[in-house]
Amino acid sequence: MSFTHSSYAVPWLLGLLAWLLLAASAAGAQALPLDEQGRVGFAEVVLADSLRAATLYAHAKTWLRRRGYELAEADSVAGRLVGAHAFGVYDRGYITKRLHGKVHYRLTVEVKDGRYRSQFTDFSFAYYREDRTAHALPTGQTKPLEDATAPGWQKLWETHRHDALLTVTSLADELKTAMLNVPKPKALPVSRAADW
């Protein structure tokens, strides 16, 4: 029996195509940033040249309260705010999406004259389960966000991790807008007199 080059080419090309698809899907999943201890963490220092520390502190505190953060620390002298919050992640069904859990995290904002630093840390996923009346309730089980494996629901876990990346990026941008908000000067009343 004689084999030609074309009989080897088809399986080889299919294997190469499968490998390229796997590599592309792995590259498409963006990795979460890790700190020195291997925990998920986002940090950013933002320059705010014209703003004093007291103004930045007030902006941060207002934003944290407006967004519903539970403040654990508010030290105006040290210029430090620490808040805790969570956002929902969902299992997308055929018709509706249902709450699968919440990602809890801590946000620390430190301010100095002309700059501030934000740090999103301590991420953990809390499982939720529907009760008999279809209300989602926490189960008490948690999973650290840096854990990349989830046997049996790996694709959904990767979606949750990606959603966390998008949510934190959006929150950091929203915080930046609030922090750098320079109040417009109040306009003086217009005088109708000829001598202005």
Side-chain angles (χ1 to χ4, degrees), residues 117-132:
R117 176 172 61 184
S118 63
Q119 296 175 300
F120 293 84
T121 59
D122 301 331
F123 288 89
S124 68
F125 171 76
Y127 293 89
Y128 274 57
R129 176 166 287 141
E130 289 183 354
D131 65 5
R132 288 180 283 150

Side-chain angles (χ1 to χ4, degrees), residues 45-57 59 110-117 175-182:
V45 175
V46 178
L47 296 177
D49 292 332
S50 62
L51 297 174
R52 308 285 298 164
T55 303
L56 290 169
Y57 181 87
H59 287 183
E110 297 169 299
V111 299
K112 292 184 178 183
D113 286 341
R115 66 185 182 274
Y116 77 90
R117 176 172 61 184
L175 175 62
K176 186 183 298 184
T177 300
M179 294 293 282
L180 301 179
N181 182 20
V182 178

Side-chain angles (χ1 to χ4, degrees), residues 20-37:
L20 288 173
L21 287 174
L22 285 174
S25 67
Q30 191 168 2
L32 294 170
L34 301 177
D35 62 14
E36 300 82 29
Q37 291 85 27

Side-chain angles (χ1 to χ4, degrees), residues 35-105:
D35 62 14
E36 300 82 29
Q37 291 85 27
R39 307 241 0 204
V40 173
F42 300 82
E44 181 178 22
V45 175
V46 178
L47 296 177
D49 292 332
S50 62
L51 297 174
R52 308 285 298 164
T55 303
L56 290 169
Y57 181 87
H59 287 183
K61 192 170 185 179
T62 300
W63 185 82
L64 289 167
R65 285 192 172 152
R66 185 172 44 89
R67 291 289 297 163
Y69 281 79
E70 184 179 314
L71 288 179
E73 182 182 337
D75 186 348
S76 61
V77 175
R80 180 178 164 90
L81 291 156
V82 179
H85 206 286
F87 55 87
V89 288
Y90 298 89
D91 181 3
R92 286 148 180 89
Y94 291 107
I95 298 172
T96 62
K97 61 182 184 178
R98 64 184 174 93
L99 183 68
H100 186 238
K102 288 190 177 181
V103 175
H104 294 262
Y105 64 96

Side-chain angles (χ1 to χ4, degrees), residues 185-191:
K186 294 182 181 179
L188 296 174
V190 177
S191 175

